[in-house]
Amino acid sequence: MYSSGLYSPTRKEADRQKSKFYNIGGFPNVVGCLDATHIRIQAPRNNEHEYLNRKNYHSLNVQFICNADMLFIDVVAKWPGSVHDARILRQSRFFSAFEASPRPVDGTMLADSAYMMREWLMTPYENPAT
């Protein structure tokens, strides 16, 4: 399922994930869900202020991607808590691969409103009119 540590399933596996996501939530063509979470840590001695997140505690901001089987298929756990989710994504190998052509997977990722809309990344519409 992985190629050089980057999410790159076979076509058969990608199709299986798309089918499972469609059965779960009615979204077509979805191969994964992307988000980040803050993991609380003790205040580091160096660059302590960088690890202070918006909720005023020290953390690592960890990005992850899960598939429909609820398995982690990609994890980035190296950024201080002050770093925004979208920056972590933009700096990841995953982002570079999905911005390139051809993409490693034919499908869409779902994410929350902390992320930017991309051809391959679907985020919620803010204040929809209908």
Side-chain angles (χ1 to χ4, degrees), residues 14-85:
D15 288 345
R16 190 178 78 76
Q17 291 299 320
K18 291 175 190 180
S19 177
K20 287 188 85 169
F21 272 114
Y22 186 80
N23 290 335
I24 291 169
F27 281 98
N29 204 40
V30 173
V31 293
C33 293
L34 166 75
D35 203 357
T37 191
H38 289 272
I39 306 297
R40 189 181 293 264
I41 62 171
Q42 291 182 353
R45 291 188 177 145
N46 296 326
N47 303 317
E48 175 268 339
H49 65 283
E50 292 180 12
Y51 292 85
L52 197 61
N53 66 30
R54 70 184 184 281
K55 295 184 179 180
N56 208 30
Y57 66 88
H58 296 90
S59 67
L60 288 176
N61 195 356
V62 179
Q63 175 183 282
F64 55 91
I65 300 170
C66 292
N67 65 16
D69 297 315
M70 294 186 232
L71 296 174
F72 291 109
I73 55 177
D74 189 78
V75 176
V76 177
K78 66 179 184 178
W79 291 90
S82 65
V83 177
H84 192 275
D85 296 357

Side-chain angles (χ1 to χ4, degrees), residues 82-130:
S82 65
V83 177
H84 192 275
D85 296 357
R87 178 175 176 208
I88 296 171
L89 175 61
R90 281 192 313 272
Q91 299 295 315
S92 71
R93 287 181 23 193
F94 178 84
F95 184 84
S96 296
F98 271 69
E99 287 289 289
S101 182
R103 291 194 305 261
V105 178
D106 178 30
T108 304
M109 296 284 171
L110 299 180
D112 66 21
S113 59
Y115 298 94
M116 68 294 283
M117 184 76 82
R118 306 305 269 192
E119 181 179 317
W120 53 270
L121 183 63
M122 184 184 300
T123 61
Y125 285 105
E126 296 293 322
N127 305 311
T130 62

